[in-house]
Amino acid sequence: MKYALEYFEQIKGYLEQIIATESEGINRAASVVANHIKEDKIVYVYGPGGHSNLGSQELFFRAGGLMHVSAILDEGTLLSGGALRSMAIERTPGYGKVVIEDYGLKSGDLLIIVNAYGINAATIDAAMEAKRLGVQTIGVSSEKHANSTPADHPARHPSKKNLHDTVDIAIDSKVEVGDAVIEMENLEQKVGAMSTFVNAYILNSISMEAIALLVEQGIQPPIWKSGNSTGGDEWNQQFISRFKHKIKKL
């Protein structure tokens, strides 16, 4: 368990860094989310890129999570369509713009964009198109990774912009360059990726703090219950008709 324990300590350390430096951003994001839900508006979440899609899935249709969340699960960058294809699509200029258009986002909407590195074409195009439409944006990405990536890297958007410089509220996920954080004896490459842990922590923190703000105001936001728990189906069913026509992937 040597490496498993080291991995645990590493992940815990990064989560502690996030608490120490990103609490203000998380609280700002939570306040925006709470205000949208108070107005019965949908919160969109997009993770344009391979495993970054897990971030959007983390908040969507999740036990203990907000029902007002619509995950933008575009097949282009999902790994289920092919890993190499996914990487090629996320590097295609203009693709993110098409996805935002397809989901019909408009002025006054809210979009959370989660991407481990915050540089790829689909990510930046999504943020830029959202801004053009008057959509409020929250970004979750690694400033260190973005700032360390050369301007001529093939993954970069043609504008060379970073997500954290493009969104209204930026939260630094602290993902290390290359994502993996564990050095193993007699092995050249690092192992143990960190991005899924920190992205999930940040996103769930935003969700929980938003829920707390609503409860403080006497508002009971609809929360998903696991369908695998007793009474879960019955609980969820009372809200389905309210959201079915609003959330594309529900």
Side-chain angles (χ1 to χ4, degrees):
M1 289 290 289
K2 171 185 175 181
Y3 294 108
L5 290 172
E6 183 181 347
Y7 189 38
F8 171 79
E9 292 297 333
Q10 287 268 18
I11 297 301
K12 184 175 74 170
Y14 286 109
L15 295 178
E16 288 172 344
Q17 286 184 46
I18 290 168
I19 292 170
T21 65
E22 303 305 311
S23 293
E24 181 181 352
I26 289 171
N27 284 329
R28 287 178 61 206
S31 179
V32 171
V33 169
N35 287 336
H36 273 255
I37 292 171
K38 188 159 59 173
E39 297 176 12
D40 199 27
K41 296 168 72 174
I42 296 300
V43 177
Y44 295 89
V45 187
Y46 185 28
H51 292 89
S52 292
N53 279 288
L54 296 175
S56 56
Q57 294 178 58
E58 179 64 29
L59 285 187
F60 178 56
F61 197 59
R62 194 73 154 110
L66 290 159
M67 289 190 179
H68 282 81
V69 171
S70 175
I72 298 179
L73 301 175
D74 180 78
E75 287 74 8
T77 62
L78 287 174
L79 293 175
S80 56
L84 295 176
R85 180 180 183 274
S86 166
M87 187 166 65
I89 293 295
E90 73 179 45
R91 294 180 175 186
T92 302
Y95 190 83
K97 178 178 182 293
V98 173
V99 173
I100 297 303
E101 290 174 346
D102 182 54
Y103 272 74
L105 271 73
K106 59 188 182 301
S107 180
D109 282 338
L110 173 62
L111 173 65
I112 301 174
I113 304 173
V114 52
N115 184 268
Y117 313 138
I119 62 168
N120 75 40
T123 294
I124 304 304
D125 272 327
M128 292 173 64
E129 178 63 8
K131 288 276 234 178
R132 187 188 72 79
L133 293 170
V135 173
Q136 193 167 10
T137 53
I138 298 167
V140 179
S141 62
S142 169
E143 293 188 15
K144 179 178 182 179
H145 206 301
N147 292 333
S148 300
T149 305
D152 61 352
H153 193 283
R156 275 201 175 277
H157 185 266
S159 69
K160 316 304 180 189
K161 290 183 177 180
N162 298 320
L163 181 63
H164 64 265
D165 298 320
T166 311
V167 294
D168 297 311
I169 300 173
I171 300 170
D172 185 2
S173 62
K174 315 295 182 185
V175 174
E176 289 288 351
V177 176
D179 202 348
V181 294
I182 300 299
E183 293 184 358
M184 189 171 288
E185 295 172 9
N186 303 315
L187 185 68
E188 183 177 356
Q189 178 59 272
K190 289 182 179 181
V191 298
M194 63 174 287
S195 58
T196 301
F197 284 99
V198 293
N199 286 344
Y201 177 75
I202 291 168
L203 293 167
N204 279 301
S205 294
I206 293 171
S207 176
M208 290 186 293
E209 295 301 331
I211 292 167
L213 288 171
L214 291 166
V215 172
E216 286 173 6
Q217 298 172 58
I219 299 169
Q220 292 283 316
I223 306 294
W224 291 110
K225 186 172 182 177
S226 173
N228 295 311
S229 63
T230 302
D233 286 344
E234 292 78 10
W235 172 266
N236 294 331
Q237 192 59 45
Q238 64 183 319
F239 301 104
I240 297 298
S241 61
R242 178 175 169 184
F243 293 100
K244 184 65 175 168
H245 67 289
K246 295 181 178 180
I247 296 177
K248 189 169 185 174
K249 294 295 184 178
L250 188 58

